[in-house]
Amino acid sequence: MTDSSGERTEPKTRAENRTKIHRETLAKQFPTKRPVLLLLLLLWVSLQPVCLHRAAAVNLRRFVGCAVREFTFLARKPGCGGLHVTTDACWGRCETWEKPVLDPPFIESHQRVCTYNKTRLVSVKLPDCLPGVEPTFTYPVALRCDCGVCVTSTTECVTSV
């Protein structure tokens, strides 16, 4: 124990003595440094996917922005059987607005979509392909998503007429 000046003093009560003994026992049982234990705890918490998915599912209706989210689809092409694939895709709501202006086309618009910022390609082999049909199916996996301009070469965009 320490007094107000920071000098070490001997415990005065049984409770203080028990606290001192408890600290010494813990120090002997866990000689590692606290930061290592904290890092292990943080690693364990980060590896809890069920909890994270449950928390994300609760807030998706109110979520504004763009994020990577798990998505399952049926990969298929002519001459092969289908294969359910689970991947990461972009999901979200981005700020979009239009306002009237006096000059043609009489509308000023700001339209952003949730789209891929960084991806990697993954290939799977489709089952039951006919002879002569290449069984490889390649698809993008989202690594990072952002709100941005819709690029028609990578995204299906809806345009006004």
Side-chain angles (χ1 to χ4, degrees), residues 70-160:
E70 192 173 83
F71 177 75
T72 300
F73 70 98
L74 182 63
R76 59 183 174 181
K77 66 181 185 180
C80 292
L83 178 69
H84 282 94
V85 174
T86 299
T87 185
D88 288 331
C90 295
W91 184 94
R93 296 179 184 97
C94 300
E95 182 179 278
T96 300
W97 52 262
E98 290 183 342
K99 68 179 181 180
V101 293
L102 296 175
D103 298 319
F106 306 109
I107 292 176
E108 180 183 337
S109 64
H110 176 84
Q111 298 174 347
R112 298 289 182 256
V113 296
C114 180
T115 189
Y116 296 97
N117 182 295
K118 187 174 181 182
T119 61
R120 69 179 166 88
L121 294 177
V122 173
S123 296
V124 294
K125 185 177 178 181
L126 296 177
D128 306 323
C129 290
L130 296 174
V133 176
E134 170 60 43
T136 304
F137 182 91
T138 302
Y139 60 93
V141 175
L143 301 177
R144 191 172 63 231
C145 303
D146 289 312
C147 290
V149 175
C150 191
V151 179
T152 57
S153 62
T154 60
T155 307
E156 188 174 328
C157 306
V158 177
T159 58
S160 60

